[in-house]
Amino acid sequence: MKVFRLDDLDAERAANQGAYLRFLKEPHMSAGLYALKAGESDPQQPHAQDEVYLVVSGRGAITVGEETTTVARGSVIYVPAGTVHRFHHITEDLRVMVVFSPPEP
C-alpha cells in the first residue's frame, strides 16, 4: 500500500515550483497533482495516455475536443488519449488529481 496526503503533495509540488507533481508511477498507471492559479493559462498538449481528472478544489472550465463544461470540487473528467484538452476560465485556484493509463513516461 502507498498512502498520500493532498496537503503534503501540494507542498512538495509548490516547493519544486511546478504546476505538476507526479507522485505515483506503476506498470499500468501513474498519478499526479496538477495546479493552476485563478486566471492562469493551461499549457497542456494532448497526451499519449488516457486520463482521468478529479478536481479536489477550485473552479473553472475544461474543454475536451469540442465539448466544454464547468468544473469544481468533485468533478471527474475522462480525456481519451490524443485528445486536445485545456482548463480555462479558472476563477478559483484549481488542484486536480490526474491518473494516466498507461503511465506517463
Side-chain angles (χ1 to χ4, degrees):
M1 173 178 10
K2 296 178 183 178
V3 177
F4 304 93
R5 304 211 185 293
L6 183 59
D7 289 345
D8 295 339
L9 294 172
D10 200 33
E12 183 179 348
R13 182 203 54 75
N16 290 317
Q17 299 179 343
Y20 181 72
L21 170 72
R22 181 175 61 200
F23 61 86
L24 180 67
K25 185 173 182 182
E26 294 295 328
H28 301 287
M29 54 84 65
S30 61
L33 180 64
Y34 189 45
L36 294 164
K37 295 183 185 297
E40 190 172 8
S41 296
D42 180 3
Q44 289 193 76
Q45 298 296 318
H47 305 285
Q49 306 82 7
D50 287 341
E51 298 174 77
V52 174
Y53 290 104
L54 168 62
V55 177
V56 295
S57 65
R59 293 185 176 280
I62 188 170
T63 298
V64 178
E66 299 295 320
E67 297 179 83
T68 299
T69 190
T70 58
V71 296
R73 182 175 173 249
S75 296
V76 178
I77 306 102
Y78 167 68
V79 179
T83 304
V84 174
H85 60 287
R86 191 164 324 287
F87 289 97
H88 53 90
H89 294 94
I90 300 166
T91 58
E92 293 177 17
D93 293 357
L94 275 177
R95 297 294 179 272
V96 183
M97 188 177 83
V98 57
V99 176
F100 291 95
S101 182
E104 62 189 321

